[in-house]
Amino acid sequence: MSTVRASLAAGAAALALLTAWTVTGRAGRPARPQVTDARVMAPTAARTGAYFTVRNRGDQPDELLAVRTPLSASAMLSRHVYRDGAGRMEMLDRLAVPSHTTVRMTPATVNVMIQPREPLRAGRTVPFTLVFRHGGEVRVTAVVTPPGGG
């Protein structure tokens, strides 16, 4: 019987400590991704890039795992890698979004490659869903901009 009491006491103590840790704010805020500045470059070829600014206001890091849009069969996270003066595109399976950090996608860094199913002219809007490991799904509307119109 003393083993049962000891186990119950240990469990109650652990629960009390975890509750105090959370109530005092020491557990931290969960990842809270916010997506702004959504834009798609008007295609000049079969594929084009979509760009977002992702801000994580939480105390925990997060990861962008996927991006979807109904206007493309696929949306692939990619980054540009430069070595010895030459650049190439590298696909990513996720994009880290550290806590209290803003990640800005640009044509020279990270972007989302899409292959539009129909013409995208400047000024049109395109719906996107960004899927985060901890922050869930964030829906945003991107505006199509002319090449170089960033």
Side-chain angles (χ1 to χ4, degrees):
M1 200 57 147
S2 65
T3 304
V4 171
R5 281 190 206 149
S7 295
L8 287 173
L15 183 59
L17 288 171
L18 285 171
T19 301
W21 184 50
T22 302
V23 168
T24 60
R26 288 184 168 74
R29 292 176 306 200
R32 294 178 25 211
Q34 176 184 29
V35 180
T36 59
D37 301 324
R39 61 199 188 291
V40 175
M41 191 174 299
T44 57
R47 294 178 193 241
T48 191
Y51 308 93
F52 308 92
T53 298
V54 180
R55 181 175 176 212
N56 181 355
R57 298 179 305 163
D59 295 327
Q60 306 300 320
D62 207 345
E63 293 176 316
L64 176 59
L65 301 176
V67 179
R68 297 188 304 261
T69 178
L71 295 183
S72 180
S74 65
M76 302 172 290
L77 285 167
S78 65
R79 71 177 174 153
H80 293 278
V81 179
Y82 298 94
R83 287 196 186 100
D84 301 323
R88 66 179 173 84
M89 191 173 6
E90 181 176 274
M91 295 302 125
L92 301 172
D93 59 354
R94 68 181 62 91
L95 176 65
V97 186
S99 61
H100 303 287
T101 299
T102 299
V103 176
R104 288 181 179 85
M105 296 183 184
T106 70
T109 59
V110 179
N111 65 24
V112 177
M113 292 303 299
I114 63 170
Q115 188 170 354
R117 299 176 202 245
E118 57 191 69
L120 297 180
R121 295 201 174 13
R124 180 175 176 177
T125 58
V126 180
F128 281 88
T129 301
L130 285 75
V131 182
F132 294 88
R133 180 176 304 279
H134 303 294
E137 294 187 355
V138 176
R139 288 177 177 74
V140 65
T141 301
V143 176
V144 178
T145 61

